[in-house]
Amino acid sequence: MQVSRRTQADRTAATRAALIAAGRKLFAEHGFSGVGTEAIVADAAVSRGALYHQFGDKTELFAAVLSDVEGDVAEQLAAGIRVDPDADFVEVMMRSLQAWFDACQRPEVRRIVLIDGPSVLGWARWRGICQTHILGLIERMLARGVDDGVLPPLPVRPLAHLLLAMGDEAALYVGAAPEPDAARRDMVAIIRPLLEALTRA
């Protein structure tokens, strides 16, 4: 019986992974409204019933796709931080910002996370999913800065929310700019002194 249960669990996990992978590709290429369930199940090579059994509807699949993309972005940002764990606080934050800008150049991040996410899921649910992955990472960086005496004992959670919002708006600005490289340089030039000011507060 245990072998049968594991086999069924493996099949379920494989079906779910196939649907999320198909959703990531198609939502990134065509946007949420431009993708029908027929295309998703065809790309995933599963039945329509499997989609509804796993997720209920296309919106719930999109929520799972968003969470999957955000998880990958969070891991990318965390990997950048681990490169030099003893780096200066401002440099670590700026490195994370640059990694975020790099991630947002990928169509799946820009379209799924920044553009379709809030409109498809509503702001509160979109923000909740994003916070699950990214907010905690920012909080840990800030808490380490406070513990190390680099930052004053400011309330970490509201500050993390503020920095998260700043990063999202910066990415949207850069992504929509007619000259993204120049817009990115401008954002970096603006955000660095803001972070430096935090260390002097």
Short mmCIF file of all heavy atoms in Angstrom, two decimals, residues 161-199:
data_model
loop_
_atom_site.label_atom_id
_atom_site.label_comp_id
_atom_site.label_asym_id
_atom_site.label_seq_id
_atom_site.Cartn_x
_atom_site.Cartn_y
_atom_site.Cartn_z
N HIS A 161 8.91 46.54 4.40
CA HIS A 161 7.78 46.81 3.50
C HIS A 161 8.10 48.01 2.60
O HIS A 161 7.81 48.00 1.39
CB HIS A 161 6.51 47.09 4.30
CG HIS A 161 5.78 45.86 4.73
ND1 HIS A 161 4.78 45.30 3.97
CD2 HIS A 161 5.91 45.08 5.83
CE1 HIS A 161 4.32 44.22 4.59
NE2 HIS A 161 4.98 44.07 5.72
N LEU A 162 8.66 49.04 3.19
CA LEU A 162 8.99 50.25 2.43
C LEU A 162 10.02 49.95 1.35
O LEU A 162 9.88 50.38 0.19
CB LEU A 162 9.51 51.33 3.37
CG LEU A 162 9.84 52.69 2.75
CD1 LEU A 162 8.59 53.33 2.17
CD2 LEU A 162 10.45 53.61 3.80
N LEU A 163 11.06 49.20 1.69
CA LEU A 163 12.11 48.88 0.72
C LEU A 163 11.59 47.95 -0.37
O LEU A 163 11.98 48.07 -1.53
CB LEU A 163 13.31 48.26 1.43
CG LEU A 163 14.05 49.19 2.40
CD1 LEU A 163 15.21 48.45 3.05
CD2 LEU A 163 14.55 50.44 1.70
N LEU A 164 10.70 47.03 0.01
CA LEU A 164 10.10 46.13 -0.99
C LEU A 164 9.29 46.93 -2.00
O LEU A 164 9.40 46.71 -3.22
CB LEU A 164 9.22 45.09 -0.29
CG LEU A 164 8.51 44.09 -1.19
CD1 LEU A 164 9.51 43.26 -1.97
CD2 LEU A 164 7.60 43.20 -0.36
N ALA A 165 8.50 47.87 -1.51
CA ALA A 165 7.71 48.72 -2.41
C ALA A 165 8.62 49.55 -3.31
O ALA A 165 8.35 49.71 -4.51
CB ALA A 165 6.78 49.62 -1.60
N MET A 166 9.70 50.05 -2.75
CA MET A 166 10.64 50.85 -3.53
C MET A 166 11.25 50.00 -4.64
O MET A 166 11.38 50.46 -5.79
CB MET A 166 11.74 51.40 -2.62
CG MET A 166 12.77 52.25 -3.33
SD MET A 166 13.96 53.00 -2.18
CE MET A 166 14.85 51.53 -1.61
N GLY A 167 11.62 48.78 -4.32
CA GLY A 167 12.20 47.90 -5.33
C GLY A 167 11.23 47.57 -6.45
O GLY A 167 11.61 47.55 -7.63
N ASP A 168 9.97 47.32 -6.09
CA ASP A 168 8.96 47.02 -7.11
C ASP A 168 8.74 48.22 -8.03
O ASP A 168 8.68 48.09 -9.25
CB ASP A 168 7.64 46.61 -6.46
CG ASP A 168 7.68 45.22 -5.87
OD1 ASP A 168 8.63 44.47 -6.18
OD2 ASP A 168 6.77 44.88 -5.10
N GLU A 169 8.59 49.39 -7.44
CA GLU A 169 8.36 50.59 -8.25
C GLU A 169 9.56 50.92 -9.12
O GLU A 169 9.42 51.33 -10.28
CB GLU A 169 8.03 51.79 -7.35
CG GLU A 169 6.63 51.76 -6.78
CD GLU A 169 5.56 51.81 -7.86
OE1 GLU A 169 5.73 52.57 -8.84
OE2 GLU A 169 4.57 51.08 -7.75
N ALA A 170 10.75 50.71 -8.58
CA ALA A 170 11.96 50.94 -9.37
C ALA A 170 12.00 50.01 -10.57
O ALA A 170 12.33 50.43 -11.69
CB ALA A 170 13.20 50.76 -8.50
N ALA A 171 11.66 48.74 -10.37
CA ALA A 171 11.67 47.78 -11.46
C ALA A 171 10.63 48.12 -12.52
O ALA A 171 10.89 48.00 -13.72
CB ALA A 171 11.44 46.38 -10.93
N LEU A 172 9.45 48.55 -12.09
CA LEU A 172 8.41 48.95 -13.04
C LEU A 172 8.86 50.17 -13.84
O LEU A 172 8.63 50.25 -15.05
CB LEU A 172 7.11 49.26 -12.29
CG LEU A 172 6.32 48.05 -11.79
CD1 LEU A 172 5.21 48.49 -10.84
CD2 LEU A 172 5.75 47.26 -12.96
N TYR A 173 9.49 51.11 -13.18
CA TYR A 173 9.97 52.32 -13.86
C TYR A 173 11.02 51.96 -14.91
O TYR A 173 10.96 52.42 -16.06
CB TYR A 173 10.56 53.29 -12.84
CG TYR A 173 11.15 54.54 -13.45
CD1 TYR A 173 10.34 55.63 -13.78
CD2 TYR A 173 12.52 54.63 -13.72
CE1 TYR A 173 10.89 56.77 -14.35
CE2 TYR A 173 13.07 55.76 -14.29
CZ TYR A 173 12.25 56.83 -14.60
OH TYR A 173 12.79 57.96 -15.18
N VAL A 174 11.97 51.13 -14.52
CA VAL A 174 13.03 50.73 -15.45
C VAL A 174 12.44 49.95 -16.62
O VAL A 174 12.78 50.17 -17.79
CB VAL A 174 14.11 49.90 -14.73
CG1 VAL A 174 15.09 49.30 -15.73
CG2 VAL A 174 14.84 50.76 -13.71
N GLY A 175 11.51 49.03 -16.31
CA GLY A 175 10.93 48.20 -17.36
C GLY A 175 10.12 48.98 -18.37
O GLY A 175 10.05 48.60 -19.55
N ALA A 176 9.50 50.08 -17.94
CA ALA A 176 8.66 50.86 -18.84
C ALA A 176 9.41 51.99 -19.53
O ALA A 176 8.86 52.65 -20.42
CB ALA A 176 7.48 51.45 -18.06
N ALA A 177 10.65 52.22 -19.15
CA ALA A 177 11.41 53.36 -19.68
C ALA A 177 11.81 53.11 -21.14
O ALA A 177 12.14 51.98 -21.51
CB ALA A 177 12.65 53.61 -18.83
N PRO A 178 11.81 54.17 -21.96
CA PRO A 178 12.26 54.00 -23.35
C PRO A 178 13.74 53.66 -23.44
O PRO A 178 14.17 53.05 -24.42
CB PRO A 178 11.95 55.37 -23.98
CG PRO A 178 11.84 56.33 -22.83
CD PRO A 178 11.32 55.53 -21.69
N GLU A 179 14.51 54.06 -22.44
CA GLU A 179 15.93 53.71 -22.37
C GLU A 179 16.19 53.03 -21.02
O GLU A 179 16.61 53.67 -20.05
CB GLU A 179 16.81 54.96 -22.53
CG GLU A 179 16.64 55.65 -23.87
CD GLU A 179 17.57 56.85 -24.02
OE1 GLU A 179 18.54 56.95 -23.25
OE2 GLU A 179 17.29 57.69 -24.89
N PRO A 180 15.94 51.73 -20.94
CA PRO A 180 16.03 51.01 -19.66
C PRO A 180 17.39 51.11 -18.97
O PRO A 180 17.46 51.22 -17.75
CB PRO A 180 15.70 49.56 -20.03
CG PRO A 180 14.91 49.67 -21.30
CD PRO A 180 15.48 50.85 -22.02
N ASP A 181 18.47 51.07 -19.75
CA ASP A 181 19.79 51.12 -19.13
C ASP A 181 20.02 52.46 -18.42
O ASP A 181 20.55 52.50 -17.30
CB ASP A 181 20.88 50.91 -20.18
CG ASP A 181 20.92 49.48 -20.70
OD1 ASP A 181 20.35 48.60 -20.04
OD2 ASP A 181 21.50 49.26 -21.78
N ALA A 182 19.60 53.54 -19.05
CA ALA A 182 19.74 54.85 -18.43
C ALA A 182 18.83 54.95 -17.21
O ALA A 182 19.23 55.51 -16.17
CB ALA A 182 19.40 55.95 -19.44
N ALA A 183 17.61 54.42 -17.32
CA ALA A 183 16.69 54.46 -16.18
C ALA A 183 17.24 53.65 -15.01
O ALA A 183 17.11 54.05 -13.85
CB ALA A 183 15.33 53.91 -16.61
N ARG A 184 17.87 52.54 -15.33
CA ARG A 184 18.47 51.72 -14.27
C ARG A 184 19.60 52.47 -13.58
O ARG A 184 19.70 52.45 -12.34
CB ARG A 184 18.96 50.40 -14.87
CG ARG A 184 19.64 49.47 -13.88
CD ARG A 184 19.83 48.11 -14.51
NE ARG A 184 20.58 47.22 -13.66
CZ ARG A 184 20.64 45.89 -13.81
NH1 ARG A 184 19.96 45.32 -14.78
NH2 ARG A 184 21.35 45.15 -13.00
N ARG A 185 20.45 53.12 -14.34
CA ARG A 185 21.53 53.90 -13.74
C ARG A 185 20.97 55.02 -12.85
O ARG A 185 21.50 55.28 -11.76
CB ARG A 185 22.43 54.49 -14.83
CG ARG A 185 23.31 53.47 -15.53
CD ARG A 185 24.39 54.15 -16.36
NE ARG A 185 23.83 54.96 -17.43
CZ ARG A 185 23.55 54.50 -18.66
NH1 ARG A 185 23.77 53.23 -18.95
NH2 ARG A 185 23.06 55.33 -19.58
N ASP A 186 19.91 55.65 -13.31
CA ASP A 186 19.29 56.71 -12.51
C ASP A 186 18.76 56.16 -11.20
O ASP A 186 18.93 56.78 -10.14
CB ASP A 186 18.15 57.38 -13.29
CG ASP A 186 18.66 58.25 -14.43
OD1 ASP A 186 19.85 58.58 -14.43
OD2 ASP A 186 17.84 58.59 -15.32
N MET A 187 18.10 55.02 -11.26
CA MET A 187 17.54 54.42 -10.04
C MET A 187 18.64 54.04 -9.06
O MET A 187 18.53 54.27 -7.85
CB MET A 187 16.69 53.20 -10.38
CG MET A 187 15.27 53.52 -10.76
SD MET A 187 14.39 54.27 -9.36
CE MET A 187 12.84 54.70 -10.14
N VAL A 188 19.70 53.47 -9.56
CA VAL A 188 20.83 53.11 -8.69
C VAL A 188 21.41 54.36 -8.04
O VAL A 188 21.71 54.37 -6.83
CB VAL A 188 21.90 52.35 -9.50
CG1 VAL A 188 23.20 52.23 -8.69
CG2 VAL A 188 21.39 50.97 -9.89
N ALA A 189 21.54 55.42 -8.82
CA ALA A 189 22.10 56.67 -8.29
C ALA A 189 21.20 57.28 -7.23
O ALA A 189 21.68 57.96 -6.31
CB ALA A 189 22.30 57.66 -9.43
N ILE A 190 19.91 57.04 -7.30
CA ILE A 190 18.96 57.58 -6.32
C ILE A 190 18.90 56.71 -5.08
O ILE A 190 18.90 57.20 -3.94
CB ILE A 190 17.55 57.69 -6.95
CG1 ILE A 190 17.53 58.78 -8.03
CG2 ILE A 190 16.50 58.00 -5.88
CD1 ILE A 190 16.30 58.74 -8.90
N ILE A 191 18.84 55.40 -5.28
CA ILE A 191 18.61 54.48 -4.16
C ILE A 191 19.84 54.34 -3.26
O ILE A 191 19.72 54.23 -2.04
CB ILE A 191 18.13 53.12 -4.69
CG1 ILE A 191 16.73 53.27 -5.29
CG2 ILE A 191 18.13 52.07 -3.57
CD1 ILE A 191 16.21 52.02 -5.98
N ARG A 192 21.03 54.35 -3.84
CA ARG A 192 22.24 54.20 -3.02
C ARG A 192 22.31 55.25 -1.89
O ARG A 192 22.50 54.88 -0.72
CB ARG A 192 23.50 54.25 -3.87
CG ARG A 192 24.79 54.13 -3.05
CD ARG A 192 26.02 54.19 -3.92
NE ARG A 192 26.20 52.97 -4.68
CZ ARG A 192 26.80 51.88 -4.18
NH1 ARG A 192 27.26 51.86 -2.93
NH2 ARG A 192 26.95 50.81 -4.93
N PRO A 193 22.17 56.55 -2.18
CA PRO A 193 22.25 57.52 -1.07
C PRO A 193 21.11 57.36 -0.06
O PRO A 193 21.29 57.69 1.11
CB PRO A 193 22.20 58.88 -1.77
CG PRO A 193 21.68 58.62 -3.13
CD PRO A 193 22.10 57.23 -3.49
N LEU A 194 19.97 56.86 -0.49
CA LEU A 194 18.89 56.62 0.46
C LEU A 194 19.29 55.52 1.45
O LEU A 194 19.04 55.64 2.66
CB LEU A 194 17.61 56.21 -0.28
CG LEU A 194 16.94 57.29 -1.14
CD1 LEU A 194 15.73 56.71 -1.88
CD2 LEU A 194 16.51 58.48 -0.28
N LEU A 195 19.89 54.46 0.94
CA LEU A 195 20.35 53.39 1.83
C LEU A 195 21.49 53.87 2.71
O LEU A 195 21.57 53.52 3.91
CB LEU A 195 20.78 52.19 1.00
CG LEU A 195 19.68 51.46 0.24
CD1 LEU A 195 20.27 50.38 -0.66
CD2 LEU A 195 18.66 50.85 1.19
N GLU A 196 22.39 54.66 2.15
CA GLU A 196 23.48 55.20 2.96
C GLU A 196 22.94 56.08 4.07
O GLU A 196 23.48 56.09 5.19
CB GLU A 196 24.45 55.97 2.06
CG GLU A 196 25.24 55.08 1.12
CD GLU A 196 26.05 55.86 0.11
OE1 GLU A 196 25.78 57.08 -0.08
OE2 GLU A 196 26.96 55.27 -0.52
N ALA A 197 21.88 56.84 3.78
CA ALA A 197 21.29 57.69 4.80
C ALA A 197 20.73 56.87 5.96
O ALA A 197 20.76 57.31 7.11
CB ALA A 197 20.20 58.55 4.19
N LEU A 198 20.22 55.67 5.66
CA LEU A 198 19.71 54.82 6.74
C LEU A 198 20.80 54.47 7.74
O LEU A 198 20.55 54.39 8.94
CB LEU A 198 19.14 53.52 6.16
CG LEU A 198 17.74 53.58 5.52
CD1 LEU A 198 17.40 52.21 4.93
CD2 LEU A 198 16.70 53.99 6.56
N THR A 199 22.00 54.28 7.24
CA THR A 199 23.09 53.90 8.15
C THR A 199 23.53 55.08 9.01
O THR A 199 24.25 54.87 10.01
CB THR A 199 24.31 53.37 7.34
OG1 THR A 199 24.86 54.45 6.58
CG2 THR A 199 23.90 52.24 6.43
#
